[in-house]
Amino acid sequence: MLNDIQTIKNLAREEIEKAHSLKTVHELKIKYLGKKGIFTHKIKSLGLIPQEDRREYGRILNETKNYIEELLAKYENSFKTLELNKTLQTQRIDVTAPGYCIPAGHVHPTTQVLDEIISIFTSLSFNVEEGPEVELDFYNFEALNMHKDHPARDMQDTFYITEDIVLRTHTSSVQVRIMEKTAPPLRVIAPGKVYRCDADVTHIPMFHQLEGFMVDKHVKMSDLKGVLEVFIHMIFGPDTKLRFRPSFFPFTEPSAEIDISCVICKGVGCNVCKNTGWLEILGAGMINPRIFEMAGYAPDQYTGFAFGMGIERIAMLKYGIDDIRLFYENDKRFLEQF
Ligand code: DAH
């Protein structure tokens, strides 16, 4: 019996001493000490040893097992040190190597233009306000003098949530919301997302608008003209001409559409301006006194102007972009140009 242990010990020592790699040491560890290893088997079969010999046998078995364990650990350590030294010698960290270049993001062209427009108007003392995108029919239409039968309410253009709740179709919805909670004088811009059930080269279902309005005693059409002229000259350059054309909006009276001289061909005529030399850029007008009534302002004391513009439209003209859908395709080749 004890001879048996001695034989295993000799064999194990021989094998361990011959080991030439960490892998072999690990294999031997499994062979001798693993769950199904030789020593584990021996310990499990201790019960078969006659009672009187069991104690002595167990002691020697344990001693031998510990010896083998220590021997394996010794070899394991020396192989590990060897491998570590090898790695340290062959793999040096070059602290002078250039780092990885993490690609920088870009501010989206819509945001860039929006930021620029906002900074122009804040420099003219306009405050920035916001309103909800999911809006009451009241603020989007009714309070702006667009009653139930107005064509702008056509189901084709408006996303209805319920009969009384819509996705706002324009930022004009912010006008009465602000007037209700603020007494004049007011100078406000309200940028944000708007929604229309429409999609082609020039239309997308969600786009950005910026609404502007000013209310005080004695606000005149010439104030509107002055403010818009400053704005257009700052955003498109001082040589840009403005043209006011009579138009109609239910919430302004009189109403105008404002054109600028074509920023692409400088008014000579090109396909962007359809050879007219002019580009339509804004809707505007003097706030209809009915809106003041809706907001609880005294219509005989106050006057005001309002205007609204599409941000993507301005960005397209500023950067010469010919397809509005490019703004929302998230194509990096497009976005990286800004
Ligand atoms: N809300 C109009 C639209 O979406 C734009 C507009 C026109 C806004 C005239 C105004 C305005 O404030 O006075 O087409």
Side-chain angles (χ1 to χ4, degrees):
M1 281 292 200
L2 291 173
N3 279 349
D4 190 23
I5 300 180
Q6 191 59 41
T7 315
I8 296 171
K9 183 179 174 179
N10 290 343
L11 193 69
R13 190 176 49 212
E14 223 172 280
E15 279 195 296
I16 296 167
E17 279 167 0
K18 267 199 270 172
H20 53 272
S21 70
L22 190 60
K23 187 172 171 249
T24 336
V25 175
H26 282 159
E27 279 163 11
L28 291 171
K29 199 172 176 177
I30 294 168
K31 178 173 172 183
Y32 287 100
L33 308 169
K35 254 196 223 159
K36 291 177 184 159
I38 293 171
F39 278 98
T40 320
H41 178 72
K42 287 271 172 226
I43 289 166
K44 274 186 189 155
S45 46
L46 263 177
L48 305 174
I49 305 290
Q51 184 86 50
E52 61 272 24
D53 300 334
R54 200 177 291 162
R55 220 186 139 86
E56 179 62 3
Y57 183 85
R59 190 183 61 78
I60 295 181
L61 184 62
N62 237 334
E63 236 176 55
T64 316
K65 182 180 156 257
N66 288 344
Y67 170 80
I68 297 297
E69 237 165 26
E70 273 167 34
L71 195 64
L72 278 165
K74 198 175 113 195
Y75 272 74
E76 190 174 8
N77 280 340
S78 66
F79 276 120
K80 274 188 180 162
T81 317
L82 216 70
E83 282 192 6
L84 179 66
N85 285 339
K86 214 160 93 190
T87 324
L88 286 175
Q89 262 171 13
T90 52
Q91 299 180 8
R92 290 235 172 85
I93 293 172
D94 179 1
V95 291
T96 65
Y100 291 111
C101 186
I102 299 164
H106 292 250
V107 178
H108 194 279
T110 308
T111 313
Q112 279 187 39
V113 170
L114 194 54
D115 287 348
E116 191 179 340
I117 298 175
I118 289 173
S119 82
I120 294 173
F121 281 107
T122 48
S123 78
L124 296 171
S125 302
F126 281 75
N127 291 325
V128 182
E129 296 279 1
E130 278 182 356
E133 290 165 32
V134 180
E135 184 55 286
L136 290 173
D137 178 283
F138 176 77
Y139 291 109
N140 196 78
F141 292 125
E142 201 74 34
L144 294 171
N145 203 24
M146 277 185 273
H147 305 297
K148 290 282 183 215
D149 54 355
H150 194 278
R153 287 171 158 256
D154 196 306
M155 287 291 280
Q156 277 200 339
D157 297 324
T158 309
F159 288 111
Y160 279 90
I161 307 285
T162 68
E163 208 182 314
D164 300 320
I165 300 171
V166 299
L167 293 186
R168 69 176 177 192
T169 58
H170 53 181
T171 44
S172 303
S173 59
V174 180
Q175 282 190 26
V176 171
R177 275 191 177 275
I178 299 299
M179 289 181 205
E180 271 180 350
K181 61 170 192 177
T182 328
L186 284 185
R187 288 185 196 196
V188 173
I189 50 167
K193 293 183 170 72
V194 299
Y195 300 84
R196 290 190 198 172
C197 195
D198 211 349
D200 60 37
V201 189
T202 49
H203 298 92
I204 38 178
M206 186 286 296
F207 57 102
H208 294 78
Q209 279 191 342
L210 183 130
E211 188 79 9
F213 50 99
M214 174 171 169
V215 183
D216 202 346
K217 289 176 175 153
H218 317 300
V219 175
K220 300 179 295 296
M221 191 92 177
S222 52
D223 297 314
L224 169 67
K225 198 175 171 213
V227 166
L228 290 181
E229 214 166 70
V230 169
F231 164 66
I232 293 293
H233 286 170
M234 282 177 93
I235 197 124
F236 287 117
D239 298 330
T240 317
K241 292 195 195 75
L242 279 83
R243 177 171 86 170
F244 280 56
R245 259 185 307 110
S247 185
F248 174 79
F249 298 103
F251 35 93
T252 43
E253 184 58 41
S255 303
E257 264 171 321
I258 287 95
D259 300 336
I260 57 170
S261 51
C262 181
V263 290
I264 312 286
C265 66
K266 307 287 169 217
V268 179
C270 66
N271 59 350
V272 175
C273 61
K274 299 192 184 83
N275 283 316
T276 61
W278 293 97
L279 297 164
E280 187 190 319
I281 195 109
L282 285 154
M286 297 307 290
I287 297 174
N288 192 320
R290 289 214 193 162
I291 310 309
F292 291 148
E293 276 169 31
M294 287 291 196
Y297 284 5
D300 53 345
Q301 283 186 39
Y302 293 102
T303 53
F305 65 71
F307 58 86
M309 66 184 96
I311 304 302
E312 284 84 352
R313 166 113 175 118
I314 308 254
M316 286 172 85
L317 293 173
K318 211 172 149 62
Y319 299 124
I321 300 163
D322 58 4
D323 186 339
I324 195 167
R325 293 172 296 198
L326 283 167
F327 285 93
Y328 297 102
E329 279 168 358
N330 280 336
D331 186 333
K332 274 175 77 181
R333 292 167 303 178
F334 170 75
L335 295 173
E336 270 165 6
Q337 296 175 46
F338 301 93

